[in-house]
Amino acid sequence: RIVNHTAGQSLLEVKLAVQPEPNGAAFSTTSHIHSTRCETKKGGSHFLYDVAGVDGGDNIFTVEHNFPGGIPSPTDANTTRAYLVDYERAASVVVHAPDGSRIACCNLEPHLPNLPESWSATIEANINHEGEGLEAVSYSMLRHEWYDAATNNLRIDEHSSYSKQTRIMNPVHDIYMSMHQNQTHASGYCEGHKISDGHFPMFLRGSGDGMSTTADFLRVTGDTPDVYHGVTEAGVVRGIPCEKWSRNVTIPSFSDPSASISYVYEFYFPISSWMVRRESYHRMLSRIVVRSDSGMRGVPVLHYYDFLDFKPEVDDLSVFNPCEVYNVGSPLAGNCTCGAPGEPAPAPTAWGPSGERDIDVVKAQLQAMTAVVVVLALVIVFGFGSLAFVRLREERSAKPLMTNDNEMSSF
């Protein structure tokens, strides 16, 4: 394993399990970092800190083990170098016998990069479906998500050219809010529910004790160890060379809690040398791929989620306040209250000086206006009916006033 120190040093520690032989002769081994994975040329050549330098000395990593014959001996040793190893070029550790032959090889597999506990991102989802019919249509979708583990809040936005949809969730306060804005509800409509009533469990990636870590939220953790695939041709995301990890994940079925669905999650992170201009967090997640032979609907699943603008923060926690989502200067319809879940807040000042009470007032006014409109409509209908009846009777009873000497006519 390689441990990077803040002082700019790298430590290579090698542990070997040795079975001593009775009356065996003493022997020694040397271990080096190599530049290729074990499955390719058994590790290839030595890793060189200075690729134009010599193949020896401090330019390579060498760890020696000495084993006295016939008796157990320490099996761990280490070497420190006064520079940071570029792990993109450090691929494996090869153990050599005294004659230089290779007797063992171990791939160096870096852990998944750390993820922030507060973030926002624009996500392009590409959903691939097989088969025929409406349910088999493949499509793309843009979403924006905000996640803050400290306040246990999650918000997901989806939009199209004619409507906007927003979901706000908080498992601690058992709150799920579904919102939309369209031509019918120009100021927005919000419906509040309890998560415990079974509303959208697929978005509840936390528990009643709070939201999970970002890694859990993104299904980075699972029921099998990570598999590191390195940088592959398939690991290039939007032109960015990425390292790939995969993990098996089992999720309970929404329709049948006694059943479970198996998925493979793939995670793509930019290689460590790839930079984002003026970045505030190095190596943000680039892509997640979700695969399953039989998903929740019993059909194969192949989803791509590209993180286009992953920021390690939520700039303004008011994004979790439903009254600030579509704030266009008039009250939000529905049964939601202002403020982030568990943190009531007054209505936006643009709604009027009387605060959140204006919502109920406006609702009552709208209901009264609706009633008045209905009454007026009935009056108008009856009025037209009476007028038509009177005109009909008049027309039926009227006598022609036209004569040869008079051009007046009845109306």
Side-chain angles (χ1 to χ4, degrees):
R1 63 191 178 93
I2 294 178
V3 179
N4 290 335
H5 296 280
T6 57
Q9 296 180 327
S10 296
L11 171 69
L12 173 64
E13 183 179 79
V14 178
K15 293 185 178 181
L16 299 177
V18 176
Q19 181 67 42
E21 296 182 358
N23 303 319
F27 69 98
S28 63
T29 64
T30 56
S31 302
H32 304 101
I33 296 180
H34 281 239
S35 60
T36 308
R37 292 174 65 81
C38 297
E39 55 269 26
T40 305
K41 298 181 179 180
K42 298 181 179 180
S45 59
H46 291 153
F47 164 83
L48 304 179
Y49 174 66
D50 179 358
V51 294
V54 298
D55 188 358
D58 289 347
N59 202 37
I60 67 172
F61 268 83
T62 302
V63 175
E64 296 185 354
H65 288 79
N66 294 309
F67 299 97
I71 59 173
S73 60
T75 59
D76 62 319
N78 62 75
T79 295
T80 300
R81 293 288 185 259
Y83 49 78
L84 294 178
V85 169
D86 181 358
Y87 76 88
E88 291 170 16
R89 297 191 297 112
S92 61
V93 172
V94 175
V95 182
H96 299 266
D99 61 1
S101 61
R102 306 184 185 201
I103 59 176
C105 182
C106 175
N107 285 328
L108 292 174
E109 298 188 358
H111 295 293
L112 280 164
N114 292 326
L115 289 167
E117 294 305 307
S118 179
W119 54 266
S120 64
T122 298
I123 302 171
E124 180 187 78
N126 296 298
I127 311 301
N128 289 268
H129 286 154
E130 297 180 359
E132 299 179 354
L134 292 178
E135 293 187 356
V137 173
S138 299
Y139 61 92
S140 296
M141 176 175 58
L142 277 179
R143 298 198 316 213
H144 198 92
E145 298 192 12
W146 293 262
Y147 174 86
D148 187 63
T151 59
N152 299 290
N153 285 315
L154 166 66
R155 170 177 161 180
I156 300 175
D157 282 11
E158 298 173 3
H159 66 272
S160 67
S161 58
Y162 57 88
S163 68
K164 297 179 180 179
Q165 296 183 349
T166 294
R167 291 182 286 268
I168 298 176
M169 285 143 275
N170 187 301
V172 169
H173 296 287
D174 196 21
I175 292 176
Y176 167 81
M177 290 180 279
S178 175
M179 308 176 63
H180 64 267
Q181 182 188 39
N182 51 29
Q183 293 179 350
T184 303
H185 299 285
S187 298
Y189 181 86
C190 182
E191 226 176 62
H193 301 278
K194 289 184 177 181
I195 294 176
S196 57
D197 289 339
H199 288 276
F200 286 92
M202 66 179 298
F203 291 114
L204 179 57
R205 299 169 173 117
S207 64
D209 297 328
M211 295 295 283
S212 58
T213 65
T214 299
D216 290 328
F217 175 83
L218 295 173
R219 302 294 188 193
V220 173
T221 58
D223 44 31
T224 62
D226 297 331
V227 177
Y228 176 70
H229 303 270
V231 181
T232 64
E233 183 177 350
V236 177
V237 178
R238 304 188 312 277
I240 304 172
C242 291
E243 290 182 290
K244 172 186 172 182
W245 287 260
S246 66
R247 165 163 282 190
N248 294 337
V249 177
T250 302
I251 303 176
S253 172
F254 300 149
S255 58
D256 182 5
S258 64
S260 59
I261 310 296
S262 295
Y263 294 87
V264 176
Y265 278 67
E266 300 173 0
F267 306 94
Y268 297 84
F269 288 83
I271 59 176
S272 63
S273 60
W274 188 270
M275 302 293 291
V276 175
R277 188 172 182 180
R278 298 177 181 175
E279 69 179 11
S280 56
Y281 197 93
H282 190 48
R283 303 195 76 195
M284 298 301 285
L285 181 64
S286 292
R287 171 179 287 173
I288 294 178
V289 178
V290 181
R291 304 176 187 270
S292 177
D293 294 333
S294 180
M296 294 295 177
R297 297 181 179 179
V299 296
V301 170
L302 178 57
H303 296 178
Y304 294 85
Y305 300 94
D306 281 3
F307 291 76
L308 307 180
D309 186 20
F310 202 156
K311 299 178 180 177
E313 59 188 359
V314 175
D315 295 333
D316 186 355
L317 292 178
S318 67
V319 298
F320 302 115
N321 180 353
C323 297
E324 296 288 354
V325 173
Y326 308 125
N327 188 6
V328 295
S330 54
L332 179 69
N335 65 348
C336 299
T337 57
C338 291
E343 299 180 9
T349 56
W351 289 9
S354 58
E356 192 170 351
R357 189 174 58 85
D358 287 353
I359 298 178
D360 298 328
V361 172
V362 172
K363 287 181 180 178
Q365 290 175 346
L366 289 175
Q367 292 174 353
M369 290 174 62
T370 302
V372 171
V373 170
V374 172
V375 172
L376 287 175
L378 292 175
V379 170
I380 291 172
V381 170
F382 282 118
F384 274 113
S386 302
L387 179 60
F389 179 73
V390 171
R391 286 175 60 90
L392 182 61
R393 288 182 59 87
E394 287 178 349
E395 291 175 1
R396 287 182 176 177
S397 60
K399 296 180 179 180
L401 298 179
M402 177 74 72
T403 64
N404 292 333
D405 300 325
N406 192 343
E407 293 183 359
M408 293 180 64
S409 62
S410 65
F411 292 94

